[in-house]
């Protein structure tokens, strides 16, 4: 813990990288994560920097990957996450990746378009089937209410007679399907616009249908409107269009309807098979993509990060090398040099990269080397404020004082044991629990502080024993040092009968009549007998 | 409705609104935006503002209409979030704001139907904040009376139709008259509603609505020169809730040319500087631009007070101005014609 006492010594370095080697060197430096770069172009706009085109290409790739991810999630295919760390690919591999994503995206778009067209067809056929079924009922009712319809027809024909001769008047009709929510407004508008001269019957479709565009389940109803005359027909059609009701041709006679129904059923069967095949194909494409998608995301993010870093570099006058300034910890300069060498070798460049230490009056950033145990405590301290450079770091003290102060306030052995076991379980199962990468914020907070919780539990057990508090009860291991003989002078202390009858009894702490040996460890268990435990106990 | 009890029901939404207002683009953002060469640069810069990655899922190449749609979508989402979470009387207030957009949508649909356009083409062009259930069935109406009886009687705009049912047929000229009559009735109703709320809301909103009324009076007058609109008809279109009522409006009704309008404006301290120096020359701002500037100033001062509903109205207007600015800059960038790119109205 010697190094945790103060923050690490950090120095300012200048980095000279040859242009070809720059990408690989930054990649290696990124992998070891020991360097903080300074932005040498602070007043340049985001879109005027040198590598802005590459960043844009990465943005495009990320967009395509997000689209694919959304499709994969829609189909609920599990995405494989092995947790390994793929290396940033070379710049020339970026073109291959772009081509792959482009191909996948186009394929998905095509499949989606096909599926949508098929689903639309399917929806139409299903709606038609429901219409044929329901209108059956309407026409039957109209036929059975023979006298009534005769009457209404007669009324109309009277008008007709007065206007233009003896013509048999027939009611025209349109049938269609509309969203259930729109029916009240639809009816009202029909009534108003046609001045009550149309007759609407409707019936609900029980099963929800799938909307082809959004994929949601919607409830619809079948309606049939009877009217007379061409003008009303036009008006009714316009209103239907306005409310997005789809109209279907419905034959008048029962025989024709039955024939149509059979035809529709066979077409639905055929469509079902085609639809399931399309879905299978889509599923296969997505499963293949799902295997690699996490790895691709990581790779693209690394490329983007490298180019963001390169954007902070300064281009030398000779245009041959990139210069950057960075903060490095002094103790790790060897590792950084090794990383630079690796990067230069991988890029195949002949000119080595140069790391040059500079002296500066500026204050370096605070860098604390932590491991998984100390990391949680360092995070706790940093939440209150990051220490300045080379100041004494409160974290190593906090490792003991924080759990101890917590335990003083917690102070219950029983609950302390539970807490300790919980922390111990998380620590022992660290690897498997850490790999599952949950999204739950509360769980992640607990898991991040597993060592903290374990220590808090441990200290709580100790303070709980001192307070003699286990699940809010006391343990009587050594026998209490108080007894009922210790009484106030003149009190009923020695009178056993009176003692039995008394409701409360006050022990005199100043009495000389006691066992002369206090309870060996912790609080005396007599506190449990007290009426008000809070004033007596603590 | 006083400052003590305001926060119980409206504190969250006012805080949210002020947070949105804090994300309005600043002068430095505009300076960066005018330096863009292509639309992708604009997208890159907007990523670092409150807009974030709103264009992230749009395939390149971008077009100005896509940017326009997305800007509007973001604004609509914010406004509807606030509307859904509000209680009376804030919900009525926010509904009143949407009636203006409803009027615009109705007029758009009627005009489109007159020109034989398919209703499905027109629906996407409507403003999403002003959509209502019966909107899509507007095309069945041929006269205002039918329009009222069939479509609009159930909407909240029904009472505003009292004055325009007398018109016989829907044609070009009459549609504009209908629009302005509706808007006049709406504005006066809104003004009355704000007066009943009391407190700072009345102060702030009545000033804003008075300016809006006067602006409309001036614009109607200037636009009606050279058309068949008679002076009496014109006088009926002026909203009466502004500072110009009654004397200024009477004088405006008599005006025949731009100079006379300017003379009327000279009587009013707030409007005189707007007309001075306004023109269509190269270095001058147009009158519309000056009106926009004054509107921005009034809206900004609305945020100086707390515990009132005016912040919601002001926020919407400022965001709309910002959208107009961004679209103007995008158009200049897209067409590579940067001569007038600085004609946006700076807000901060």
């Amino acid at each position: 813990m010697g190094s945790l006492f103060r923050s690490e010594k950090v120095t300012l370095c200048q980095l000279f990288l040859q242009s070809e080697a720059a990408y690989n060197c930054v990649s290696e430096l990124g992998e070891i994560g020991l360097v903080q770069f300074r932005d040498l172009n602070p007043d340049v706009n985001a879109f005027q920097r040198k590598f802005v085109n590459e960043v844009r290409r990465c943005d495009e790739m990320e967009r395509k990957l997000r689209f694919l991810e959304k499709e994969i999630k829609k189909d609920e295919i599990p995405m494989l996450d092995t947790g390994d760390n793929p290396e940033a690919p070379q710049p020339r591999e970026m073109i291959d990746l772009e081509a792959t994503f482009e191909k996948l995206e186009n394929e998905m778009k095509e499949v989606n378009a096909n599926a949508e067209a098929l689903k639309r067809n399917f929806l139409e056929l299903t709606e038609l089937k429901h219409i044929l079924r329901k209108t059956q009922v309407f026409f039957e009712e109209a036929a059975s209410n023979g006298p009534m319809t005769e009457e209404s027809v007669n009324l109309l024909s009277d008008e007709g007679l007065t206007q233009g001769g003896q013509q048999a008047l027939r009611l025209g009709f349109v049938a269609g399907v509309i969203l259930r929510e729109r029916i009240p407004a639809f009816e009202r508008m029909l009534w108003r616009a046609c001045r009550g001269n149309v007759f609407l019957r409707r019936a609900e479709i029980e099963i929800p249908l799938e909307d082809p565009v959004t994929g949601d389940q919607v409830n619809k109803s079948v309606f049939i409107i009877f009217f007379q005359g061409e003008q009303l027909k036009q008006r009714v059609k316009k209103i239907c269009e306005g409310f997005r009701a789809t109209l279907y041709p419905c034959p008048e006679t029962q025989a024709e309807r039955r024939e149509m129904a059979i035809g529709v059923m066979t077409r639905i069967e055929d469509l079902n098979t085609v639809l399931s095949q399309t879905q299978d194909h889509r599923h296969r494409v997505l499963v293949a993509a799902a295997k690699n998608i996490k790895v691709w995301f990581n790779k693209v993010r690394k490329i983007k990060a490298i180019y963001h870093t390169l954007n902070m570099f300064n281009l030398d006058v000779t245009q041959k090398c990139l210069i950057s300034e960075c903060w490095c910890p002094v103790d790790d300069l060897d590792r950084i040099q090794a990383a630079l060498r690796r990067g230069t070798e991988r890029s195949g460049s002949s000119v080595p990269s140069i790391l040059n230490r500079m002296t500066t009056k500026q204050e370096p950033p605070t860098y604390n080397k932590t491991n998984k145990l100390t990391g949680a405590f360092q995070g706790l301290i940093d939440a209150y404020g990051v220490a300045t450079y080379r100041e004494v770091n409160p974290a190593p003290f906090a490792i003991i004082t924080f759990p101890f102060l917590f335990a003083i306030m917690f102070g219950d052995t029983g609950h302390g044991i539970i807490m300790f076991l919980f922390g111990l379980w998380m620590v022992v199962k660290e690897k498997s629990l850490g790999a599952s990468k949950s999204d739950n914020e509360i769980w992640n907070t607990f898991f991040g502080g597993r060592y903290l919780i374990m220590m808090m539990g441990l200290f709580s057990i100790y303070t709980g024993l001192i307070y003699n508090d286990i699940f809010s009860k006391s343990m009587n291991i050594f026998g209490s040092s108080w007894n009922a003989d210790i009484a106030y002078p003149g009190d009923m202390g020695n009178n056993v009968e009176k003692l039995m009858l008394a409701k409360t009894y006050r022990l005199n702490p100043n009495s000389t009549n006691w066992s002369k040996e206090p309870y060996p460890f912790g609080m005396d268990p007599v506190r449990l007998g007290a009426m008000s435990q809070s004033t007596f106990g603590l | 409705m006083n400052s003590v009890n305001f926060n119980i029901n409206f504190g969250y939404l006012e805080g949210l609104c002020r947070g949105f207002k804090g994300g309005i683009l600043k002068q430095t953002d505009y300076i960066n935006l005018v330096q863009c060469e292509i639309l992708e640069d604009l997208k890159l810069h907007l990523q670092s503002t409150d807009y974030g990655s709103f264009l992230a899922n749009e395939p390149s190449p971008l077009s100005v209409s896509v940017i326009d749609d997305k800007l509007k979508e973001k604004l609509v989402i914010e406004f509807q979030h606030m509307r859904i979470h509000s209680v009376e009387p804030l919900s009525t207030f926010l509904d009143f704001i949407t009636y203006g957009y409803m009027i615009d949508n109705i007029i758009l649909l009627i005009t489109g139907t007159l020109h034989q356009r398919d209703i499905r083409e027109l629906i996407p062009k409507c403003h999403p904040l002003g959509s209502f259930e019966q909107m899509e069935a507007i095309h069945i109406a041929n006269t205002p009376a039918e329009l009222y009886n069939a479509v609009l009687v159930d909407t909240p705009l029904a009472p505003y139709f009292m004055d325009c049912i007398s018109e016989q047929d829907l044609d070009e000229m009459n549609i504009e008259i209908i629009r302005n009559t509706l808007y006049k009735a709406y504005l006066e109703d809104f003004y009355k509603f704000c007066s009943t709320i009391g407190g700072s809301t009345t102060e702030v909103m009545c000033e804003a609505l008075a300016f809006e009324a006067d602006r409309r009076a001036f614009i109607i007058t200037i636009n009606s020169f050279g058309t068949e609109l008679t002076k009496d008809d014109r006088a009926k279109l002026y909203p009466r809730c502004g500072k110009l009522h009654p004397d200024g409006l009477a004088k405006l009704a008599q005006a025949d040319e731009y100079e006379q309008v300017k003379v009327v404006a000279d009587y009013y301290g707030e409007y005189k500087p707007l007309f001075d120096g306004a023109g269509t020359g190269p270095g001058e701002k147009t009158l519309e631009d000056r009106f926009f500037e004054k509107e921005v100033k009034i809206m900004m001062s609305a945020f100086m007070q707390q515990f009132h509903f005016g912040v919601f109205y002001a926020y919407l207007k400022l965001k709309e101005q910002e959208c107009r600015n961004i679209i103007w800059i995008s158009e200049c960038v897209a067409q590579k014609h940067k001569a007038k790119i600085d004609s946006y109205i700076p807000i901060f």
Side-chain angles (χ1 to χ4, degrees):
Chain A
M1 282 310 171
S3 61
L4 203 54
F5 186 62
R6 288 186 195 275
S7 70
E8 300 284 320
K9 277 214 190 100
V10 170
T11 173
L12 187 65
C13 295
Q14 235 180 1
L15 206 53
F16 293 91
L17 298 173
Q18 201 189 19
S19 307
E20 294 110 43
Y23 182 90
N24 283 312
C25 289
V26 172
S27 163
E28 290 291 334
L29 286 176
E31 294 290 337
I32 58 173
L34 284 173
V35 167
Q36 180 181 340
F37 287 97
R38 284 179 64 198
D39 188 3
L40 292 178
N41 308 318
D43 31 350
V44 178
N45 281 329
F47 46 88
Q48 286 168 345
R49 299 214 179 197
K50 190 165 180 301
F51 293 96
V52 70
N53 280 328
E54 279 79 4
V55 174
R56 279 212 193 106
R57 279 163 70 189
C58 291
D59 270 336
E60 262 298 296
M61 285 201 280
E62 269 193 332
R63 181 188 66 79
K64 293 191 182 124
L65 282 178
R66 270 199 300 269
F67 170 69
L68 285 172
E69 193 185 14
K70 199 166 63 130
E71 295 293 320
I72 291 178
K73 278 208 181 117
K74 223 198 279 189
D75 269 16
E76 292 172 11
I77 301 173
M79 285 181 278
L80 189 65
D81 193 2
T82 57
D84 32 90
N85 202 0
E87 262 186 5
Q90 300 294 323
R92 41 183 183 276
E93 286 170 33
M94 210 161 99
I95 305 180
D96 292 336
L97 278 176
E98 277 181 331
T100 320
F101 298 155
E102 176 94 25
K103 194 166 74 78
L104 270 174
E105 187 192 18
N106 285 339
E107 222 179 308
M108 280 312 301
K109 281 211 178 121
E110 213 185 298
V111 169
N112 279 345
N114 287 343
E116 193 179 312
L118 285 173
K119 278 197 195 143
R120 214 186 294 267
N121 233 347
F122 184 73
L123 182 72
E124 276 175 21
L125 288 174
T126 320
E127 286 180 352
L128 190 53
K129 177 178 86 173
H130 285 288
I131 285 186
L132 290 172
R133 221 182 281 161
K134 304 281 178 186
T135 50
Q136 178 72 11
V137 181
F138 296 149
F139 282 119
E140 266 173 17
E141 275 188 23
S144 67
N145 293 341
M148 200 166 83
T149 41
E150 283 304 318
E151 219 175 270
S152 52
V153 170
N154 278 338
L155 276 170
L156 292 168
S157 46
D158 276 341
E159 271 181 66
L161 283 172
T162 52
Q163 280 181 11
Q166 321 227 344
Q167 301 160 13
L169 292 164
R170 300 217 36 222
L171 294 175
F173 68 93
V174 289
V177 169
I178 189 175
L179 281 175
R180 229 180 265 175
E181 299 92 56
R182 304 224 175 135
I183 284 210
F186 182 56
E187 277 195 69
R188 222 175 306 142
M189 167 97 48
L190 266 180
W191 177 266
R192 291 223 174 92
C194 308
R195 288 173 237 274
N197 283 334
V198 296
F199 180 58
L200 171 89
R201 290 297 311 272
R202 57 182 156 80
E204 293 174 356
I205 301 180
E206 298 87 11
I207 50 167
L209 304 168
E210 191 187 345
D211 181 41
V213 176
T214 59
D216 297 331
Q217 304 281 328
V218 290
N219 285 320
K220 294 197 175 184
S221 298
V222 169
F223 65 89
I224 182 166
I225 305 177
F226 293 97
F227 49 78
Q228 185 203 6
E230 195 53 35
Q231 262 199 354
L232 274 179
K233 180 176 185 174
Q234 289 307 319
R235 197 166 283 197
V236 164
K237 276 210 168 133
K238 272 197 186 167
I239 298 180
C240 290
E241 207 183 310
F243 275 86
R244 306 252 179 109
T246 33
L247 296 173
Y248 293 97
C250 186
E252 299 201 31
T253 62
Q254 175 137 340
E256 277 178 35
R257 277 205 296 274
R258 209 171 303 149
E259 241 181 80
M260 203 178 201
I262 298 175
V264 163
M265 294 301 285
T266 33
R267 276 158 68 194
I268 289 186
E269 293 294 323
D270 292 336
L271 251 188
N272 253 333
T273 20
V274 177
L275 207 58
S276 54
Q277 277 177 1
T278 320
Q279 295 290 68
D280 275 341
H281 174 64
R282 187 189 127 101
H283 195 83
R284 254 175 290 135
V285 170
L286 285 177
V287 163
K291 289 205 191 79
N292 301 329
I293 198 158
K294 289 284 183 197
V295 170
W296 283 335
F297 259 122
N298 276 336
K299 281 192 180 166
V300 172
R301 281 200 197 113
K302 283 195 177 176
I303 300 179
K304 204 167 159 193
I306 293 176
Y307 279 117
H308 270 305
T309 317
L310 285 175
N311 270 336
M312 296 202 265
F313 284 22
N314 230 342
L315 192 58
D316 179 40
V317 254
T318 64
Q319 302 276 338
K320 278 277 177 56
C321 73
L322 290 164
I323 309 176
S324 88
E325 291 179 8
C326 55
W327 297 104
C328 320
V330 173
D331 293 336
D332 292 318
L333 276 176
D334 300 327
R335 288 177 63 188
I336 298 177
Q337 294 275 24
L340 283 176
R341 260 199 303 278
R342 274 200 305 273
T344 340
E345 270 170 47
R346 265 183 52 198
S347 69
S349 151
S350 51
V351 180
S353 318
I354 303 173
L355 186 71
N356 193 12
R357 272 179 82 161
M358 299 198 313
T359 50
T360 170
K361 287 218 170 59
Q362 288 173 344
E363 198 176 283
T366 313
Y367 173 54
N368 288 311
K369 268 207 200 129
T370 54
N371 55 28
K372 59 185 179 179
L373 167 59
T374 54
F377 297 99
Q378 187 66 52
L380 204 60
I381 299 296
D382 285 344
Y384 286 92
V386 181
T388 52
Y389 179 63
R390 295 294 285 167
E391 190 188 347
V392 170
N393 185 11
F397 306 105
I399 295 181
I400 297 298
T401 56
F402 184 86
F404 183 63
L405 280 173
F406 173 85
I408 289 181
M409 292 187 281
F410 198 57
D412 186 320
T413 309
H415 294 114
I417 290 179
I418 295 179
M419 201 168 177
F420 174 67
L421 289 176
F422 178 54
L424 192 63
W425 169 73
M426 280 198 287
V427 169
V428 164
K429 290 264 182 215
E430 198 166 59
K431 277 216 170 55
S432 55
L433 287 174
S436 63
K437 283 209 186 54
S438 149
D439 272 338
N440 191 347
E441 214 174 301
I442 299 183
W443 166 252
N444 281 336
T445 311
F446 282 152
F447 185 69
R450 54 194 180 281
Y451 289 100
L452 194 60
I453 292 180
M454 198 174 78
M455 302 206 40
M456 294 197 301
L458 194 60
F459 280 92
S460 300
I461 298 177
Y462 171 68
T463 55
L465 287 174
I466 295 193
Y467 292 151
N468 206 351
D469 191 356
I470 175 163
F471 291 118
S472 303
K473 300 271 180 228
S474 286
M475 293 188 290
N476 194 351
I477 305 179
F478 303 108
S480 173
S481 300
W482 289 82
N483 59 54
D485 287 339
I486 307 168
Y488 279 104
D491 207 9
M492 48 202 168
N494 292 327
N495 191 338
V496 180
E497 291 91 15
K498 269 205 186 159
L499 189 60
M500 291 298 183
L501 292 170
K503 274 200 250 168
T504 65
Y505 189 68
R506 199 149 145 215
L507 297 173
N508 182 9
N510 206 12
S511 164
T512 47
N513 182 14
W514 67 302
S515 62
K516 300 270 193 309
E517 275 168 25
Y519 196 76
F521 183 79
M523 290 285 291
D524 196 302
V526 76
R527 74 173 187 100
L528 266 189
M531 239 173 53
S532 165
Q533 295 191 24
S534 57
T535 55
F536 183 81
L538 297 163
Chain B
M1 246 298 296
N2 50 14
S3 40
V4 171
N5 296 325
F6 184 86
N7 273 345
I8 301 174
N9 289 324
F10 313 116
Y12 163 66
L13 286 175
E14 184 184 350
L16 197 62
C17 187
R18 282 183 190 266
F20 288 147
K21 173 237 182 191
I24 293 186
L25 299 184
K26 315 252 182 312
Q27 190 60 26
T28 48
D29 291 311
Y30 284 120
I31 293 179
N32 279 335
L33 283 177
V34 303
Q35 289 177 352
C36 294
E37 294 292 325
I38 52 174
L39 288 179
E40 264 71 9
D41 290 340
L42 240 116
K43 168 178 160 178
L44 201 59
H45 181 79
L46 286 177
Q47 268 179 0
S48 62
T49 66
D50 223 26
Y51 281 105
S53 41
F54 77 117
L55 285 175
N57 287 331
E58 299 302 316
S60 55
L62 285 176
S63 68
V64 179
S65 57
V66 165
I67 298 182
D68 189 20
D69 285 339
K70 283 286 177 190
L71 285 172
K72 224 189 279 187
E73 190 185 313
K74 185 166 193 296
L75 177 58
V76 166
I77 290 177
E78 287 171 359
F79 184 82
Q80 280 178 340
H81 176 87
M82 291 196 285
R83 170 63 188 87
I84 290 173
H85 282 94
S86 57
V87 292
E88 292 295 333
L90 181 59
S91 35
T92 317
F93 183 84
L94 292 176
D95 280 337
F96 260 105
I97 300 182
T98 62
Y99 296 163
Y101 297 107
M102 271 190 214
I103 295 177
D104 287 336
N105 283 351
I106 293 177
I107 301 298
L108 177 82
L109 288 173
I110 296 181
T111 319
T113 317
L114 267 188
H115 292 174
Q116 315 298 335
R117 288 232 156 72
D118 188 21
I119 191 89
R120 278 181 236 277
E121 265 179 47
L122 298 169
I123 296 289
K125 297 214 178 102
C126 291
H127 199 284
L129 279 181
S131 61
F132 53 98
E133 231 180 3
Q134 300 87 344
M135 186 167 79
E136 299 169 15
I138 277 193
H139 59 310
I140 60 165
N142 291 323
T143 71
E146 242 179 57
L147 184 65
Y148 176 76
N149 277 326
V151 180
L152 294 168
V153 67
D154 286 323
T155 64
L157 299 174
Y160 306 149
F161 258 79
M162 294 295 126
D163 293 326
C164 28
I165 300 195
S166 51
E167 302 302 324
Q168 283 312 95
D169 240 333
L170 294 171
D171 67 18
E172 288 287 348
M173 170 68 132
N174 290 337
I175 288 196
E176 278 309 307
I177 296 184
I178 290 183
R179 183 212 294 270
N180 285 312
T181 323
L182 280 177
Y183 208 86
K184 165 192 168 179
Y186 153 65
L187 213 53
E188 288 174 2
D189 200 20
F190 198 3
Y191 190 91
K192 204 158 47 140
F193 176 71
C194 292
S195 324
T196 58
I197 296 185
S200 320
T201 307
T202 309
E203 259 177 68
V204 170
M205 280 311 295
C206 288
E207 191 189 337
L209 291 177
F211 172 73
E212 182 69 24
D214 292 336
R215 170 160 80 164
R216 285 196 90 89
F218 280 126
I219 299 289
I220 290 175
T221 317
I222 295 179
N223 285 346
S224 68
F225 293 148
T227 67
E228 301 154 357
L229 190 64
T230 65
K231 293 198 177 151
D232 290 328
D233 282 340
R234 196 207 307 165
K236 275 196 272 196
L237 297 177
Y238 295 145
R240 282 166 301 192
C241 50
K243 296 202 175 69
L244 289 174
H245 176 68
D247 303 318
L249 289 182
K251 279 214 158 50
L252 269 185
Q254 303 302 319
D256 274 321
E257 47 164 17
Y258 182 76
E259 284 305 319
Q260 293 179 4
V261 174
K262 199 153 179 289
V263 163
V264 175
D266 283 346
Y267 283 120
Y268 292 90
E270 308 94 6
Y271 303 127
K272 183 169 190 311
L274 294 181
F275 278 82
D276 288 340
T280 44
E284 307 169 315
K285 292 193 186 263
T286 64
L287 190 62
E288 276 86 26
D289 280 346
R290 283 176 166 241
F291 274 126
F292 279 135
E293 272 177 15
K294 180 104 173 66
E295 186 186 26
V296 164
K297 222 186 294 177
I298 295 182
M299 294 305 147
M300 288 298 286
S301 64
F303 280 100
M304 293 298 153
Q305 295 202 46
Q306 210 183 346
F307 306 130
H308 63 98
F309 295 153
V311 288
F312 300 100
Y313 181 79
Y315 161 71
L316 193 65
K317 292 290 166 191
L318 286 178
K319 262 314 225 212
E320 274 189 346
Q321 182 60 46
E322 183 182 275
C323 289
R324 279 194 288 263
N325 286 347
I326 297 180
I327 296 302
W328 173 259
I329 295 178
S330 315
E331 287 281 6
C332 290
V333 164
Q335 293 168 14
K336 304 220 189 304
H337 188 68
K338 295 205 175 179
K340 285 206 142 199
I341 198 169
D342 286 324
S343 310
Y344 59 87
I345 314 275
I347 299 181
F348 275 112

